Amino acid sequence: MTPEELRALQAPLKQRYRTEPAAALVTSAAVATLDQGRIACRVESPQPGADVGLHPAAGGDGTLRCSGDMLVEALAGCAGVTLLAVATAMGITIRTGTIRAEGDWDARGTLGVSKEVPVGCTAIRLRVKIDTDAKAEQIAKLLELTERYCVVAQTLAAGVKVEVG
C-alpha cells in the first residue's frame, strides 16, 4: 500500500471522526465460553476463536493457549500493524522486520503461593528489528509514533480500570 492509498483509505474516517466524535468510539470484545470438562475456555472474537487454558507454569500441559501469551501476542501484533501503517504514511520502506514482545510474571502470584508476589506481568518489553534504508532520525520518529498510536501498548502503559462482575 502506498502512502497515498493509506491516506485515501483513512481520510473519510478521520473526517467523520472530526465531525462525529462518538462515531470513533469502539468496543473491542471477546467472549470466553467455559469448558466444564477441563480448566479451559474457548475465546471467540470477530475472528476465529482459540482454546485457552493454564500455562504450564500454572499446571497446564502446554496444549492450550495461555492468556498471558495472548497478551504479548496482542501487543506484538498491534505494534507491528501500527509500525507498518506509520511507515507507510511516512513513506518508509521496510523490507523485513520482527516485533518481539515479552512479559515477565511470577507463577507464585497467580497460584496464591505468596501474597507478596504480584499477580500479572511485572515487566513488558517490546523489541523492534527492521531492515530499512531509512535514516536514524526517521527510524526514531517511526518508533516514537508506533508507541504513541499502538492501542495495546498505550493501554498497558497507561493502565485501565477493569470491572469484574
Side-chain angles (χ1 to χ4, degrees):
M1 182 176 291
T2 67
E4 295 77 20
E5 290 170 330
L6 179 63
R7 286 187 194 97
L9 179 70
Q10 292 180 339
L13 295 170
K14 289 181 178 183
Q15 181 56 39
R16 180 175 180 215
Y17 300 156
R18 284 185 189 100
T19 60
E20 299 175 54
L25 301 178
V26 176
T27 299
S28 295
V31 176
T33 303
L34 305 180
D35 183 336
Q36 298 296 339
R38 55 190 179 153
I39 300 177
C41 59
R42 177 86 180 161
V43 177
E44 299 287 348
S45 64
Q47 300 302 318
D51 288 325
V52 182
L54 292 171
H55 188 280
D61 64 10
T63 62
L64 300 175
R65 306 276 305 277
C66 165
S67 52
D69 292 341
M70 292 172 72
L71 176 70
V72 293
E73 289 169 5
L75 175 58
C78 187
V81 169
T82 303
L83 181 135
L84 289 171
V86 171
T88 299
M90 292 177 67
I92 296 174
T93 300
I94 297 177
R95 288 182 288 276
T96 61
T98 59
I99 309 285
R100 180 178 177 85
E102 301 173 330
D104 300 331
W105 59 281
D106 188 326
R108 294 175 299 166
T110 194
L111 291 175
V113 171
S114 171
K115 291 185 188 239
E116 288 75 40
V117 175
V119 176
C121 291
T122 55
I124 296 177
R125 293 170 299 284
L126 191 62
R127 302 290 182 243
V128 178
K129 291 185 181 181
I130 54 173
D131 180 14
T132 181
D133 290 329
K135 296 179 178 163
E137 57 272 5
Q138 290 176 300
I139 294 171
K141 187 66 172 179
L142 173 63
L143 295 177
E144 174 191 329
L145 294 174
T146 296
E147 182 178 3
R148 180 186 306 166
Y149 296 120
C150 176
V151 171
V152 176
Q154 287 301 314
T155 301
L156 291 169
V160 64
K161 181 179 178 179
V162 177
E163 295 178 27
V164 178

